[in-house]
Structures are given as C-alpha cells and as structure tokens.
Amino acid sequence: YCLMAAPGKVAAFRLPPLPTIGEIIKLFRLKALKQLSQNFLLDLRLTDKIVKQAGELKNAHVCEVGPGPGGITRSILSAGVEQLLLIEKDARFIPGLQMLSEAAPGKVCIIHGDILTYKMEKAFPKHLKKNWEDEPPDIHIIGNLPFSVSTPLIIKWLENVSKRDGPFTYGRTQMTLTFQKEVGERLTANPGSNQRSRLSVMAQHLCTVENCFIIPGQAFVPKPEVDVAVVHFTPLVQPKIQQPFELVEKVVRSVFQFRRKYCFRGIETLFPENGRLKRTEQLMMTADVDPTLRPFQLSMSQFRNLCNAYRKMCDEDPSLFVFNYREELRQKKTTGSLRGSTGQPEQTEEENQL
C-alpha cells in the first residue's frame, strides 16, 4: 500500500523545521537491528553529499531504498524532487517517514514492503519512459543499503539492466548506492587488481561504475566494523558482452571459482567430466585466451571472447548450458560413499575449494 500526504502548492520547496534524525530515533524508540545489518547515518552534510552524487534531482522522480529514520530522505526532498517513492521493509520506521511525508505534501509515497520483491516496472509515471539509446530518464534510485541486502540486490538489478526490465523499463535509470568499502572496491576493480572479481565483471560489462567517496564507519550509528563506499551506476547503451545475463554469469562465476589458480581450472567446471579437457582446450583456443592467466588478470574483451565461444558450444550441444559442476561432484561423492572404501579419495580438491 502507498501512504501519501495530500498535495499542497509549494513554489520553491523547503522542508519546514523538523525534529533532528537523532530526535526521531528517540521519539519513535528506533534501534538499529544487528540481524538486519542496519546502520543509521545522522550527519545531514554526508546525506547531502550522497544525494549530490546522483546528479541533478530538481523535478526528478526518485526511489529511495530502505530510508530508515529518513536522513537521506530529507536531503532528497531538499534537492527539489518532483516525487519521492520510499520503500521500507521495517514497519518501525513508517511513522517517522509519515511525518516527513506530511512536511512535503503530495511529494512522498511510502511503500511498506521488500525491495527484493517489489515490482518496480510500475513505480513511476509512463511519460518518463525514454528509449534505451537516449539520455537516462529523470528517474534515480538512491539507498543506504543494509550490507546483508546490497550484493544480492545489485546482482538482481544488473540482471534487470541486461533484460531492460524492472526499474530499467523506463530506460537507463541511474543508481547511487552504499556498499561495504570492500564491495565498492570490487565493483570498480580493474583487470590485474587483487579486488577484481565476478562482481567487477558483471557490473562493468553492463554499467559505468564510479566509486564516488568513502564514508568512515564512525559516521554511522551503530558504528559498523568497516567503512562505506558510495557507488554510482549508469547503465551502458551497449553491454560489453552481447550474451544473455545467465550465460555471462555462469562463465564469469566458473572462471572465478578458483581465483588463485590458472583460469583454465575454473573454465573446466563448465564441462562434464567426460571430454572435459578437450572441450576446455577448444574453448580457450576459440576465445584466444592464455590458459595460464589468473582469473583477475582477464580483460573484459577476453571475458567477451570466452562467453561468445561458450555460447557457440552451447548452441551445438544444448545440454552443456544446464550442466552443473557442483551437482556432478555431489553425485560422485554419493556413489563413492556407496562403494565404501574402494580407494576413492574421501574429499576431492574441488570439494575443498567449493
């Protein structure tokens, strides 16, 4: 359901005097829950700085994910947005957000729900839609995300970017989000960097990703054990790898399965045991990738070549794409234990790695 204060005519919008975020927390007896990895940002100079990274928000439509006590919410409203959609899973924050909604009549819509299941393709007016090739629409997603949600959520949104659905049915919607500093570094890591990972490739093949600035942990209440990175995403007109999301994800995940070993070791896991070596060699030769490179050394064009070559092999043998290496390991282990002690190793190196 959507809670919205009645519209009011406001010329140049300014929030009326309100209790501070600290007072709101006391007033509604709000407490950050550790199991939900919640951390409040009370310093409005920092919330203003986050919102500034989103770009020009005057008359824009914004969705804020997990507003909590409403610090970033105030900064977004002060930027002069046309409409602000708040999606908050924790019912304890709704009364404080309603107070903000009443202070900005007609501007705020509050949804009590989970961003991971909320259907964002109907969240904004249809007239805001732009063609994918055009400039990004006047729609922004902003959020200080709980750490437990941030990685699954960005993977979900990257899949939406690839399929141009969800919040990206409106065009190349921009996102400004917070992550643990280490995750922020992974999202923006270049080939050769120790932080280069599956997340780096998946994000950078679909978006321009910018690590804007770091917020020290002590700025949050309660103080997390890590610093926080503010990261800005703009979907690319053309993805760097022109293959379905699931295929790219499978190849990239396999490559990084053994990140300290040569890349062919991870690529082997794309193929069933019968003919594994021959097919791995075929894939690497077709893709023209040096099998002795480490996963983090591979460039985006090498990942593109691997995905294209793997796609060709899947087209020739459709059973390849549904092959699951872990499932094969599990079955091997089961048949091994059924045979009893017949010289089978108790734990393969692959299982240890996984």
Side-chain angles (χ1 to χ4, degrees):
Y1 60 93
C2 182
L3 308 166
M4 198 162 183
K9 292 191 176 176
V10 190
F13 180 76
R14 282 193 70 179
L15 277 171
L18 288 163
T20 65
I21 299 296
E23 285 164 352
I24 292 267
I25 288 169
K26 278 184 191 151
L27 181 66
F28 295 105
R29 295 178 181 170
L30 302 173
K31 194 178 174 206
L33 297 179
K34 197 171 182 182
Q35 65 267 35
L36 297 178
S37 59
Q38 291 173 337
N39 303 94
F40 304 150
L41 192 53
L42 309 188
D43 186 336
L44 293 184
R45 288 168 306 178
L46 283 171
T47 60
D48 284 348
K49 196 175 173 188
I50 292 171
V51 169
K52 208 173 171 187
Q53 300 303 323
E56 178 53 64
L57 293 187
K58 193 158 175 56
N59 302 324
H61 287 246
V62 175
C63 170
E64 188 191 350
V65 184
I72 293 177
T73 315
R74 294 184 188 207
S75 296
I76 295 170
L77 287 169
S78 299
V81 296
E82 176 78 20
Q83 201 73 55
L84 175 56
L85 172 66
L86 302 175
I87 299 174
E88 179 52 68
K89 186 179 179 180
D90 192 333
R92 298 173 307 142
F93 297 120
I94 302 292
L97 295 172
Q98 275 177 293
M99 187 187 281
L100 270 177
S101 174
E102 283 153 18
K107 281 187 179 283
V108 181
C109 173
I110 303 167
I111 302 281
H112 177 213
D114 187 344
I115 187 62
L116 286 166
T117 54
Y118 181 68
K119 301 268 181 272
M120 282 192 78
E121 47 277 348
K122 292 180 180 159
F124 305 103
K126 281 183 184 167
H127 73 265
L128 295 171
K129 279 192 180 184
K130 293 267 191 90
N131 291 323
W132 195 259
E133 296 71 28
D134 295 345
E135 284 299 300
D138 226 358
I139 296 171
H140 296 262
I141 298 172
I142 298 175
N144 172 29
L145 306 173
F147 295 154
S148 58
V149 172
S150 59
T151 307
L153 187 55
I154 196 60
I155 289 286
K156 176 185 189 289
W157 277 338
L158 289 170
E159 183 169 3
N160 291 145
V161 170
S162 174
K163 294 175 178 175
R164 301 182 187 182
D165 60 12
F168 308 97
T169 48
Y170 299 89
R172 295 184 299 121
T173 300
Q174 297 177 79
M175 303 182 283
T176 309
L177 306 166
T178 62
F179 297 89
Q180 286 183 46
K181 185 184 171 202
E182 190 185 316
V183 178
E185 285 168 352
R186 275 190 222 145
L187 283 161
T188 53
N190 293 318
S193 154
N194 275 338
Q195 293 285 11
R196 186 79 166 168
S197 66
R198 174 178 75 119
L199 210 48
S200 324
V201 180
M202 296 310 294
Q204 293 168 34
H205 111 80
L206 290 161
C207 298
T208 302
V209 192
E210 188 190 347
N211 202 334
C212 305
F213 66 97
I214 302 295
I215 304 174
Q218 63 255 34
F220 292 86
V221 176
K223 175 183 176 292
E225 288 169 17
V226 291
D227 293 338
V228 172
V230 177
V231 184
H232 184 75
F233 301 81
T234 308
L236 294 164
V237 174
Q238 286 290 350
K240 303 256 174 76
I241 303 169
Q242 306 270 340
Q243 293 295 351
F245 183 85
E246 291 83 357
L247 185 138
V248 179
E249 223 249 345
K250 187 179 183 186
V251 171
V252 174
R253 190 176 59 237
S254 298
V255 170
F256 279 102
Q257 193 140 244
F258 304 99
R259 61 172 291 116
R260 289 188 180 85
K261 300 200 170 189
Y262 294 144
C263 64
F264 80 83
R265 186 65 197 81
I267 287 165
E268 281 184 328
T269 65
L270 289 167
F271 304 109
E273 191 171 28
N274 187 14
R276 177 170 287 155
L277 192 61
K278 190 179 171 194
R279 281 171 145 177
T280 303
E281 285 172 357
Q282 182 193 338
L283 176 64
M284 306 229 54
M285 279 178 70
T286 311
D288 191 24
V289 171
D290 178 352
T292 64
L293 287 171
R294 311 281 176 189
F296 62 87
Q297 293 176 307
L298 296 182
S299 67
M300 192 62 82
S301 61
Q302 287 170 317
F303 273 109
R304 184 195 305 124
N305 293 350
L306 287 169
C307 290
N308 291 344
Y310 180 64
R311 170 67 186 266
K312 206 173 161 202
M313 292 171 85
C314 289
D315 288 345
E316 288 163 9
D317 177 3
S319 71
L320 254 191
F321 188 67
V322 293
F323 168 70
N324 184 322
Y325 178 69
R326 288 174 183 231
E327 197 48 52
E328 186 185 74
L329 274 185
R330 226 170 273 129
Q331 284 173 3
K332 255 171 89 175
K333 194 174 180 184
T334 312
T335 51
S337 57
L338 285 173
R339 284 179 197 152
S341 54
T342 54
Q344 285 274 336
E346 277 185 23
Q347 185 91 357
T348 66
E349 192 216 351
E350 291 95 320
E351 287 167 316
N352 281 325
Q353 288 280 352
L354 292 171

